[in-house]
Amino acid sequence: MESHILGFPRVGSARELKFALERHWRGELSAEELLGLGRDLKTRHWKIQADAGLSLVAVGDFSFYDHVLDTAVMLGLTPERFADRDAPAFPDRYFRMARGDAHRNVPAMEMTKWFDTNYHFLVPELTPGMVPRLSCQAVIDDARLARDLGYRPKAVLLGPVTFLSLCKEYGGMERFELLSEVASAYREVLRQLAPLCEWIEIDEPILCTDMPLAAKASFLPVCAMLRTAAEGARLILGTFFGGLGDNLDLALACGFDALHLDLTRAGQELEAVVGRLPENMALSLGLVDGRNIWKTDLARAVGTARGVADRLGRDRVFAASGCSLLHSPVDVDLETGLDPTLRGAMAFAVQKCREIGVIGAVLDGGDRTEALRENAACLTARRAGAGVRDSEVRRRLEGVTPEMLSRKSPFAERKKLQNAALSLPLLPTTTIGSFPQTAEIRAARLALRRGEMDQAAYEARIKGVIADVVARQEELGLDVLVHGEPERNDMVEYFGQMLRGFAFTGNGWVQSYGSRCVKPPVIYADVSRPRPMTVSWISFAQSLTKKPVKGMLTGPVTILNWSFVRDDLPRSEVCRQIALAVRDEVLDLERSGVPVIQIDEAAFREGLPLARADQEAYLTWAVECFRLTASGVGDKTQIHSHMCYSEFGAIIRWIAAMDADVVSIESSRSKMELLEAFREYEYPNDIGPGIYDIHSPRVPGVEEMAGLVRKALAVVPAGRLWINPDCGLKTRDWPETMASLANMVEAARLVRAECLAAT
Ligand code: GLN
Ligand code: ZN
C-alpha cells in the first residue's frame, strides 16, 4: 500500500530556514550557503519520511519563500517591475518579488491568506502580454536528487486551475485565456518529471470551494492535457481543506490515476466517493490531520482504511495526511517543557509521518500492535488528564440564557445614552488599539522573562509607556483614546497566558509567510478566567485623562482561530467557553469605569469554511459567541469591534448581527469593495472604515484622507461614521505615527466643518 504526505514543513525543527533567510537578506549569508541549507533541509525531510515507513517522499513542497510564488516563477510569470535582465533569477529577483525593493521603490507582490489557513501566499499578477512558459527546473532537480539518494519521489505541483484562480488580473486580462499556455508549461514539467517519479500529485484545492464557472469549465480540458503529458508517471489529484461537494463529479471525471480526499474535513464524503470511484482510479485517504497537533486515533484510522481496502482492493488505497504538514509544527520530541501527558497526546509533522507509516504497515499485514497500543494509551491518558474537564465551566455554559446574547435595548436607544455619556463630536476619531512597540518595550519584556527585571519595575516601565501614549493622543486631539497595548506581545498569546485551559509549546512554530512564523497557543482543556486580565492597565490609562478610554480585548472567535484547538469538543463549544471568560473581563472593565470596550475579531473572516454549505453554521455560532461576550454590559457602555481584511461583502449581514455599537474594518487596501457592500446593504450601527493603511510607513496627507471620508459619506450617514486607521499601529515608528494621526485628525475636522456647514 502506498503511503505519503502532501508536504513537510519547510522551516526546519530549529527554524533554520528563517534564520538563514534573514542572514541572507542582511548580506551575511551567500546565495550558495542558502541553497546548501535548502538542500540539507530537503534531504533531512525526505529521510524523516522514509524512516517513518512512507513509501513515497514528497518533493516540490519545499520553498525558500512561498510555493505559489515558486509556481509563478516556474511558469515564468514575472511582473514587469521585477523583470530586470541583469539580476539573477534566484535569489535576487525572487526575493525582490516577495519583499519589494526599497532602494528602487518597487513594491512587493501582494500577499493574502491561503484558503482558510493563517499561511499567506504571494498573489501572482497577470498582465497583458505575459507568456507563460517553463522557466525554472527546481522541482525537476529536486526529484532527481531524491531519486539519486535512493528514495521514491512523488512530485507535488500546485495545479493550473487553482493557480490561475489565485492570480490577480490587471489591464483587462482574463485569467483563463492563458489556460492553454499554462497547461503547455505544465505538460513540459510533467514530461521531465515522468522518468523520475512514479507518482505526481497535482493539487487543486480550489475544487473544495464554490468555484467560479470559468474555473469549472477549464478543469476537465486541463486534466486531459496533463494526462497525456505524464507518459509513464501516474497522476494524483490533490484536494484538501474541505469536501468536494458539487465538484465531486468533476474530480471523479478527471481521468487521473488517484484522487486524494482530506478525510479530516470531508469524512462525510467518503461513502459517496468509494461508491462512485472509477475502476482505474485509486483513493488516497487523508487520515492524519495536517492542521492540528493531536495524535490520530490510529485504531479508528486503520479501521477506516481497512473498510475502504476491503471494497476497493489494497492496491487502490493510499494512506496519507489530510493536507500538507506545512501547517503543523515540526517535532514534538523537542517539547520537553510540556506536561508529559499532554505531550504524549500530540503529534507534530515528524510524528504524523510515523502515524501514516503505521497505518500503511498494518494494512500491509505488518505487526504494529505495540504502536497501536501505545497510541490508545496516550489518548486515554489525555481524556482522563487533570483539569481537562471543568464542571464549573460546563455548569456555567448550560446556564447561558437567550437574554445573555442580547443587549438590553436596541442600538438606536443605546446610541442616545452613549452620545450623552461620551459627548463625542460628529465623525469621532479613534485608533484600533496598539501604538508603536518600541525596542525599549520589547527589551523590558525580555528582561522580565529572563529575571533581570522584577515585576514591579516592569509594571512601572509599562505604566510610563501608557502615560506617554495617553499624553500623545491628547496632544493629537483624538476623541476616544486607548492605552496602547504595550504590555502585549501578541493579541492571542497574551490572553491565552492568563486563561485556564491553554498550554504553550516551546518550539511549535508554523510558517505564516516567508521567514515569519507563529507559535499558536494550544487549547487543551476547558477555558476559564481565574482573574481580571487587563483591568489594571486600562483603568490606569483612564485615570490619566478626562477623555473616554477604550478598553482592548481579543474576541473569542479570534482566540479560537489563532490557536490549536482540542479535538474532543466541537469548535463552537470551545468558542463558547472562551466567550464566557472574555465576557467576565468585559463586565469587570465596565465595573471599573471604562466607558468604551473594543472586542477585536481580527480573524473572524478567516474561520469561514470554504464550502458555502458550511458557512452558515459557522457564522451562526461565531456571531453568537461574540454576542455572548459583548452583551452583558449596560446600554451606556459602548462596544466596539475591529476586523482585518475587507472581503466582507458577502458576510456584512452577519457583521450587523454581531450588534457592536461601532465596528472598524480594514479597508484602505481595497476601499471600493467595502464601500460597495454598504451601497447594497445599509449597515445599521456605527462604522469606521479604515482610512489609512498602517502596513506601510507612508504618511497619508490631509486631503487624501479627507477625500476618503467624503467618499465614505456617500454611503454612510455622517451620524454613524467614525474616523480611524486600518488596524493597530504596533509595527510602526513614532514619527510616522504622529504625523499620520495628526493628518487624520485634521482631515476629520475639515470634513466635520463641511458637514456642519451643510446643515
Ligand atoms: N487591537 C489590536 C491592535 O491594535 C488589533 C490587531 C489586529 O486587528 N490584528 O494591535
Ligand atoms: Zn486589524
Side-chain angles (χ1 to χ4, degrees), residues 491-510:
M491 64 186 288
V492 170
E493 188 173 45
Y494 179 78
F495 289 94
Q497 272 162 349
M498 278 183 293
L499 291 167
R500 261 194 216 120
F502 285 75
F504 294 86
T505 62
N507 215 19
W509 297 99
V510 178

Side-chain angles (χ1 to χ4, degrees), residues 529-549:
R529 185 198 69 142
R531 68 190 68 83
M533 306 182 282
T534 62
V535 176
S536 65
W537 301 123
I538 294 167
S539 40
F540 172 70
Q542 183 64 84
S543 75
L544 302 173
T545 175
K546 291 205 168 55
K547 292 214 167 158
V549 170

